[in-house]
Each structure stands twice: as structure tokens, then as C-alpha cells.
Amino acid sequence: MIISSRWVKILCLSICLLLFTALFLRNTTSDLSLIFHKDLYAHDESSNSVVAANITRRFFPPMVRVNPLVETQGNWMEGPFWQHIPPLFAYVPYVFFKLDGQITIEVKRLSYALLLWLTGGLFILFTFRFRPKVSVLLAATLAAGLWLQTPFTHALVTGYAFGVSDIVLAFTLVLSWGGILWYLAKERPERLLYGWKKIIALAFLAVLPIMAKSLLGAIPAATFLILLLWDHRRLSKRFWLGLIASLGFLLLYYLPLYFASPATFNKEILTAAFHFTDLEGWGRPWYYYFTEYLPHAYLFKYTWAFFAGLLASLSVCIFSKTE
């Protein structure tokens, strides 16, 4: 059912956002003892926390310096070969450190927890705005709630699993999702007439996940360019503008990191280019994400929901009729 009344839309959206917020508060409250625990649980959290703390002392480039009496700076990901993550994630706690007046592990964890809430809320908002149907709103709320409920998401905040870069990646992916829906909001004849400012803005949103986690976030940018190519049926000026703008934003972001530490850039960030044949340097193929990571490290008992949602989405794409 399509919701036509503006006030009914606001009411339905508000209810779903409140339900999502209630779930977020419940989960965060249950994790408070771990959030306020002073121990750092894994190498990921240890190195990430040091980088985030040092940004308050030197904003750029992000550095590792465990001992403040030692002036020699290390690179921002001084650690195993597989820590090939751009340092965008480390800037998230900066504002919260400044507001709190001190650098603490609990403030750092709570800042990423808040980003989780913002990610889910924006996903619901963007999806409902694109298609203001009750069924779409409920589906978006359910998806955001399941994502928030997974053990992996809890562990990201408390530091038990992987690193907080996955939270930032999720946030940038939702921003890109909003950008893709913004592009698709009009019918094809109108999309062919989009102005250059909108194309550049969409290109920026599309490459944000690449800034967050290198090639692991390349799908939105590829989707945006494919949509441009599909709509125009040729290598049009708008396609070239989207491609050049995307590459331009990536150069503006990555070049300062390269010049700050060429060795780190070459040994760490470029590692992601080998993910399809050598997953994270451990000799694992790309499908390892689905056969091992997804059921045993990410979603656990909720893995079925991922595949059920995937099948449902494919069914809608294949069998749905154009309205």
C-alpha cells in the first residue's frame, strides 16, 4: 500500500525509527559492561584505538605512537600484513573525544555505537523516501534491526571481532545506497537530463565506501557507473563526467595518504587489489566470505536471513511488474 498523505508518512516513519532506536538502546545497554571495560580485546582494537587517540594530537597523517615519549612515528596500520585499511575510520571518535574532554576507550566505543544507530536510521529513511510503501518501510526496518541484532555487530562495538572500520564501511555504504536511490528516483527520460552538479554529487557518494575500505567498497561506484551506461546506452558526456569525478575524488583522498607514507600505501592499502585471488593474504578465494565468514564470523544464526532476503530480492526483480 502506497502512503500518500504527508503526515501519515511522517507518522509511520517516526514509529519505525523509534522502534529501531529502542532496539539500539536495548542492545547498547546490554553491552555497556563490555563497552566500559578498559581492556583492549584484540590487535585490531589496540592499533585502531592508538591511531584514533593520536589524531587528537596530530590530525594528519594518522599515526601509531604507543609511547608518547618516543618521537619516531610509525605508519597508521603498524601490524600484520592483512591490516590494509585506509584510516578514515580513525576520525570517527575525534569529535566525541573533544566533547568529552578526554581520550577514553569507552568514548571511542560509544562513538561507533552511535554511528551504528545513524547507519540503520538513514537506511530506513532513504529506502522509505524512495518507495513510500508500508511493506517497504517494514522491510527496511526489519533489515536494519536484523543487522543491529547480529552478534558480529555487537562484537564490532565491544572490540571482540575485527575492527571498527566495518562500522564505517557500513555507514558509507548506506550513504551510497541513498545516492543510488536518489539517482533512480526519476524515470529514465528525466535521468538523461541530470545536471553536472548532481552527477558529481552522486559520484562522491558512490566512492565513499572505497575511501572507507579500499576495493572492498567498490560495488556502489561500479553500480553508479553501470546505471549511467545503461541509461545512456553509450559512453556519454555524463558517463565520462561520473567516471572522472569518481576518480578525482579518490585521488584527492588517497594521494595525501600516499605521500605521507608511500611504503604503507604500497604494502597495506594496495593489498586489497588481490582479494579476489588471495583473500587478505591468507590464500583464500573470494567465495570464502560466503562459505566461512558469513556463517561463522558475521551473521551466525542469522545467516539464513541474508540468503532469504537475497532470494526475495531476486524474485521481486524477476517477477514484479512495472507500476
Side-chain angles (χ1 to χ4, degrees):
M1 181 180 69
I2 298 178
I3 305 174
S4 56
S5 172
R6 178 172 178 266
W7 293 110
V8 175
K9 286 181 183 179
I10 294 175
L11 178 61
C12 292
L13 179 61
S14 299
I15 291 173
C16 286
L17 289 176
L18 285 173
L19 289 173
F20 175 76
T21 301
L23 179 62
F24 165 77
L25 292 175
R26 174 183 174 274
N27 288 351
T28 305
T29 302
S30 67
D31 291 335
L32 281 181
S33 60
L34 295 173
I35 290 174
F36 280 84
H37 198 62
K38 291 296 185 179
D39 289 345
L40 300 176
Y41 298 108
H43 177 83
D44 270 25
E45 188 180 40
S46 300
S47 59
N48 294 348
S49 299
V50 171
V51 176
N54 282 335
I55 284 175
T56 62
R57 306 182 183 100
R58 180 177 177 180
F59 194 76
F60 186 86
M63 293 291 181
V64 170
R65 183 174 63 176
V66 178
N67 187 349
L69 299 178
V70 177
E71 290 299 324
T72 304
Q73 298 281 348
N75 62 55
W76 64 82
M77 279 286 99
E78 212 168 54
F81 176 70
W82 49 266
Q83 284 203 322
H84 46 265
I85 304 165
L88 181 64
F89 67 90
Y91 288 91
V92 171
Y94 179 81
V95 174
F96 297 90
F97 287 154
K98 292 297 183 181
L99 290 174
D100 190 60
Q102 54 185 336
I103 302 170
T104 60
I105 188 62
E106 55 266 29
V107 170
K108 178 236 177 188
R109 289 171 180 159
L110 286 172
S111 67
Y112 288 106
L114 185 61
L115 193 62
L116 280 177
W117 170 77
L118 188 59
T119 300
L122 287 176
F123 176 77
I124 296 170
L125 177 62
F126 291 154
T127 306
F128 180 63
R129 185 170 182 178
F130 174 72
R131 191 72 75 222
K133 291 183 177 181
V134 174
S135 58
V136 171
L137 178 59
L138 292 176
T141 306
L142 179 62
L146 284 173
W147 170 72
L148 196 65
Q149 192 69 13
T150 61
F152 178 70
T153 307
H154 285 263
L156 286 178
V157 175
T158 58
Y160 270 99
F162 297 92
V164 290
S165 62
D166 291 300
I167 297 176
V168 178
L169 175 62
F171 177 69
T172 57
L173 284 170
V174 167
L175 293 180
S176 296
W177 168 252
I180 296 297
L181 296 183
W182 184 27
Y183 177 86
L184 293 173
K186 304 294 183 181
E187 295 297 328
R188 180 172 174 266
E190 294 181 80
R191 295 201 295 264
L192 296 175
L193 302 176
Y194 282 162
W196 64 272
K197 291 181 180 179
K198 186 168 185 176
I199 297 296
I200 291 176
L202 289 167
F204 174 73
L205 292 173
V207 299
L208 281 176
I210 302 179
M211 297 179 183
K213 209 157 182 179
S214 193
L215 290 182
L216 287 177
I219 290 178
T223 302
F224 171 60
L225 294 174
I226 290 172
L227 286 172
L228 283 176
L229 193 59
W230 178 267
D231 280 346
H232 291 268
R233 304 289 198 271
R234 60 190 176 85
L235 299 177
S236 65
K237 292 181 180 179
R238 285 175 175 79
F239 170 82
W240 287 114
L241 176 61
L243 178 61
I244 293 171
S246 299
L247 295 175
F249 285 124
L250 291 176
L251 286 175
L252 286 174
Y253 175 72
Y254 276 110
L255 280 180
L257 295 176
Y258 173 79
F259 288 117
S261 179
T264 298
F265 190 92
N266 292 330
K267 293 180 180 180
E268 301 288 352
I269 292 180
L270 288 185
T271 303
F274 303 101
H275 264 60
F276 293 102
T277 56
D278 187 15
L279 178 60
E280 297 187 343
W282 293 337
R284 296 170 178 170
W286 63 270
Y287 55 81
Y288 197 83
Y289 280 113
F290 298 97
T291 59
E292 295 295 329
Y293 269 16
L294 204 62
H296 300 140
Y298 292 161
L299 298 182
F300 299 95
K301 63 181 180 180
Y302 295 100
T303 303
W304 66 269
F306 170 80
F307 288 107
L310 188 62
L311 289 174
S313 300
L314 291 174
S315 299
V316 170
C317 292
I318 295 172
F319 299 108
S320 65
K321 296 179 181 180
T322 306
E323 296 181 359

